[in-house]
Amino acid sequence: MAIKDTAVEWTVTGTTTPFTGAKTSVRTDHVVMPDGSTVSRDYQVHPGSVAVLALDEADRVLVLHQYRHPVRQKLWEIPAGLLDVPGENPLHAAQRELYEEAHVKAEDWRVLADVYTTPGGSDEAVRIFFARGLSEVDGERFEVSEEEADMELARVPVDELVRGALAGELHNNCLVVGVLALVAARAGDGLDALRPADAPWPARPFRA
C-alpha cells in the first residue's frame, strides 16, 4: 500500500461563517459522517503561507526572532509570509518574503516540504522552500512595522537548530519541519533531488 495522502470530501449540508477577520475567518460546516450522523466542525479558513529555509555557504540557516502574541513567546523562525493574492505563485511570494524580512536573495530554489499546519482546526497549507546561493540585496531595506519592527536576524548552524528542535527549545513548525527535512534530504538522495521550485501544489494551485 502506498503511504500517500488522498483527496476526499464528505458531504456538507450547510455552512456558516461566524467570524471574518482581516486575513482569516472561522467557518462552521455541518458534515455527514460515515454512520449517517451530521456533526458541526469549526475551523480557520486561511489563504496559505510560504516559508524559506535559506542556507548559506557556512552551513548556517537564516533565522528571525519574532514575538508571537497567541503563544506569548518570541520564537526563532525562518522567513515566512501569507499568500496574500489568490492564485499567487508561491515561489514569487517566498522570494518576496526573503527580501522583505532578511534583505537577501537566492540563486537556487527548491521545494523542501508541503505541510498542513493544524489540519484538525485549520485549512492552512504551507510550502517550505529550500534556498541557497545567498547574497545581500542592493538598495534600501524594506520598511517594517508592528511585531516585525522588533525582529532580530541571525544565522545559526544547522546542527544547532536540530539540537534545539529535539531538545524542545525551538517550536516554530516551519523551522522544525524545514531543518529536519533538510537533514533527511541530505541523508537520502541529496539536496539536488528535491522537487523543483515550481512543483505542483494541489493544496494551493497557482499560476506559472
Side-chain angles (χ1 to χ4, degrees):
M1 182 181 68
I3 304 300
K4 181 180 180 180
D5 295 338
T6 55
V8 63
E9 187 170 351
W10 292 356
T11 300
V12 176
T13 61
T15 297
T16 58
T17 305
F19 170 78
T20 299
K23 298 292 184 180
T24 66
S25 60
V26 173
R27 180 179 295 167
T28 299
D29 287 345
H30 303 288
V31 186
V32 179
M33 298 287 106
D35 63 1
S37 64
T38 299
V39 301
S40 296
R41 290 290 178 263
D42 304 320
Y43 59 100
Q44 179 193 36
V45 179
H46 194 284
S49 307
V50 292
V52 185
L53 191 143
L55 189 69
D56 69 13
E57 294 180 355
D59 207 42
R60 300 174 303 176
V61 176
L62 196 156
V63 291
L64 311 165
H65 203 204
Q66 185 170 353
Y67 176 67
R68 294 300 187 182
H69 186 70
V71 296
R72 308 302 199 271
Q73 291 190 35
K74 288 190 74 173
L75 301 180
W76 285 104
E77 307 178 352
I78 56 177
L82 297 175
L83 290 169
D84 293 314
V85 181
E88 181 179 18
N89 188 308
L91 174 60
H92 299 165
Q95 291 170 331
R96 179 185 68 239
E97 292 300 329
L98 187 61
Y99 161 69
E100 291 182 354
E101 295 192 345
H103 210 62
V104 166
K105 62 181 179 180
E107 295 299 322
D108 184 20
W109 289 82
R110 298 172 190 270
V111 175
L112 191 54
D114 294 328
V115 296
Y116 291 113
T117 56
T118 48
S122 174
D123 70 350
E124 180 183 9
V126 181
R127 168 156 281 188
I128 304 174
F129 286 92
F130 171 64
R132 57 185 171 180
L134 307 184
S135 60
E136 297 291 328
V137 178
D138 295 331
E140 295 184 3
R141 290 185 175 273
F142 182 78
E143 185 175 348
V144 295
S145 60
E146 301 175 354
E147 290 93 343
E148 292 184 351
D150 187 49
M151 193 164 58
E152 303 170 56
L153 179 65
R155 298 191 182 206
V156 180
V158 172
D159 290 347
E160 177 61 18
L161 295 175
V162 171
R163 186 208 61 77
L166 297 180
E169 297 170 356
L170 300 172
H171 306 92
N172 175 263
N173 57 354
C174 291
L175 172 61
V176 172
V177 170
V179 168
L180 297 183
L182 171 66
V183 172
R186 283 173 163 175
D189 295 331
L191 298 177
D192 290 337
L194 290 171
R195 287 175 290 160
D198 60 353
W201 189 17
R204 292 294 185 276
F206 58 90
R207 298 184 294 271

